[in-house]
């Protein structure tokens, strides 16, 4: 349970948070990045992999290195990567759309994701969430710098016109939430569906936790009421039920 004053914005990560990581989409990203880089540059996949790793270190994002050194358009490159992914297992959590729609009547909801514009909006439609969010912030909006880089959170506060303490974020990535928490934001860990409680795995770092007791599991809430929200006197409560 989180009790904090003056919450103005509720922000949701997308992949693994608003749909289960069991859909397999996140596991395809690195493979497709490597495939598309190799195809675009006319090199082997091993060489493409090495370049992406090198550019991630030197330019903070592989696509920014591809742009600077090979004149690759990052927006078009990301679109190609996501257009090739199999999203047939992408399924909504039962009842989640209705609950988020109710929540959106009381407070602004936003999506904040490392995924690209075309995929995120297509997936939002599949999940039945098209009328829920005030803003959808994708990797293009952050100039292809990704979470958990602190810079993207600082830009988020500016974009939403809030102080860190006025924002709460739901995310399935422990390492991302740690950065936001260190900057003063409120955080809620969401089950990504890959391990049964109390176990947990952080897909960004590969770190596995054997006992995580405080997180929300959309798939196991019965009845299908996942988050209670009450706003009064500038305060809000989020509670798993």
């Amino acid at each position: 349970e989180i009790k904090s004053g003056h919450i103005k914005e509720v922000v949701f990560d997308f992949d693994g948070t608003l749909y289960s990581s069991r859909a397999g989409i996140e596991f395809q990203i690195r493979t497709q990045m490597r495939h598309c880089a190799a195809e675009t540059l006319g090199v082997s996949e091993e060489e493409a992999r090495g370049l992406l790793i090198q550019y991630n270190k030197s330019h903070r994002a592989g696509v920014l290195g591809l742009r600077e050194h090979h004149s690759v358009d990052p927006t078009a490159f990301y679109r190609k990567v996501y257009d090739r992914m199999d999203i047939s297992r992408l399924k909504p959590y039962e009842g989640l759309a209705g609950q988020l729609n109710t929540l959106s009547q009381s407070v602004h909801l936003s999506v904040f994701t490392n995924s690209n514009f075309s995929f995120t909006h297509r997936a939002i439609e599949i999940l039945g969430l098209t009328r829920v969010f005030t803003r959808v912030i994708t990797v293009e909006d952050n100039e292809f710098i990704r979470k958990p880089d602190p810079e993207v959170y600082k830009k988020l506060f500016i974009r939403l016109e809030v102080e860190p303490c006025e924002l709460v974020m739901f995310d399935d990535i422990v390492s991302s939430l740690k950065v936001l928490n260190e900057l003063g934001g409120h955080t809620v860990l969401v089950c990504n569906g890959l391990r049964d409680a109390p176990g947990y795995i952080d897909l960004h770092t590969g770190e596995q936790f054997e006992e995580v007791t405080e997180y929300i599991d959309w798939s196991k809430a019965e009845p299908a009421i996942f988050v209670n929200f009450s706003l009064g006197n500038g305060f809000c409560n989020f509670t798993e039920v």
Side-chain angles (χ1 to χ4, degrees):
E1 181 176 340
I2 289 183
K3 295 181 179 179
S4 296
H6 307 293
I7 297 296
K8 294 181 179 179
E9 294 280 346
V10 181
V11 181
F12 292 86
D13 171 54
F14 194 64
D15 308 300
T17 297
L18 293 178
Y19 69 88
S20 173
S21 293
R22 291 179 181 175
I25 294 169
E26 295 150 289
F27 297 102
Q28 300 176 59
I29 294 175
R30 288 184 181 179
T31 300
Q32 291 298 341
M33 289 280 285
R34 187 173 67 248
H35 288 341
C36 290
E39 181 180 292
T40 300
L41 302 180
V43 300
S44 69
E45 290 203 7
E46 188 59 31
E47 185 174 351
R49 177 178 176 274
L51 287 172
L52 289 172
I53 292 173
Q54 174 186 330
Y55 294 152
N56 271 322
K57 294 178 180 178
S58 61
H59 294 73
R60 300 164 70 194
V63 292
L64 296 183
L66 293 177
R67 180 176 66 185
E68 179 172 337
H69 297 288
H70 308 277
S71 301
V72 173
D73 177 1
T75 300
F77 183 84
Y78 259 97
R79 188 182 304 116
K80 180 186 290 187
V81 167
Y82 278 92
D83 283 350
R84 292 184 175 188
M85 291 200 295
D86 177 7
I87 64 170
S88 60
R89 295 165 59 193
L90 177 62
K91 307 293 181 185
Y93 285 115
E94 183 178 354
L96 181 58
Q99 293 304 311
L100 293 182
N101 185 63
T102 299
L103 183 60
S104 71
Q105 307 307 308
S106 302
V107 66
H108 290 153
L109 307 186
S110 298
V111 166
F112 183 43
T113 177
N114 285 342
S115 291
N116 83 323
F117 180 94
S118 62
F119 164 75
T120 302
H121 283 271
R122 181 166 44 133
I124 284 175
E125 184 173 354
I126 292 171
L127 297 174
L129 301 174
T130 52
R131 298 183 178 181
V132 169
F133 301 108
T134 304
R135 299 175 182 85
V136 177
I137 302 163
T138 62
V139 71
E140 293 93 337
D141 296 307
N142 288 315
E143 299 175 354
F144 303 97
I145 304 298
R146 297 166 296 168
K147 298 177 291 178
D149 191 306
E151 178 184 320
V152 302
Y153 294 105
K154 294 174 182 177
K155 287 183 176 179
L156 177 67
F157 303 144
I158 295 171
R159 182 178 283 115
L160 299 182
E161 299 182 333
V162 297
E163 296 297 322
C165 63
E166 297 173 326
L167 176 148
V168 59
M169 182 159 185
F170 290 71
D171 200 328
D172 69 303
I173 302 297
V174 175
S175 50
S176 293
L177 291 177
K178 284 181 178 179
V179 173
L180 178 59
N181 189 254
E182 289 169 357
L183 293 172
H186 302 289
T187 58
V188 180
L189 182 62
V190 178
C191 178
N192 56 25
L194 294 178
R195 289 190 61 182
D196 292 331
Y200 205 84
I201 182 170
D202 185 323
L203 283 184
H204 279 196
T205 65
E207 187 175 5
Q208 299 204 31
F209 302 87
E210 295 305 320
E211 188 169 351
V212 176
T213 58
E214 296 183 1
Y215 62 76
I216 290 177
D217 187 343
W218 304 131
S219 69
K220 294 184 178 179
E222 293 183 2
I225 300 176
F226 309 118
V227 180
N228 281 341
F229 178 82
S230 60
L231 182 63
N233 301 319
F235 286 82
C236 70
N237 296 333
F238 292 92
T239 308
E240 181 181 8
V241 296

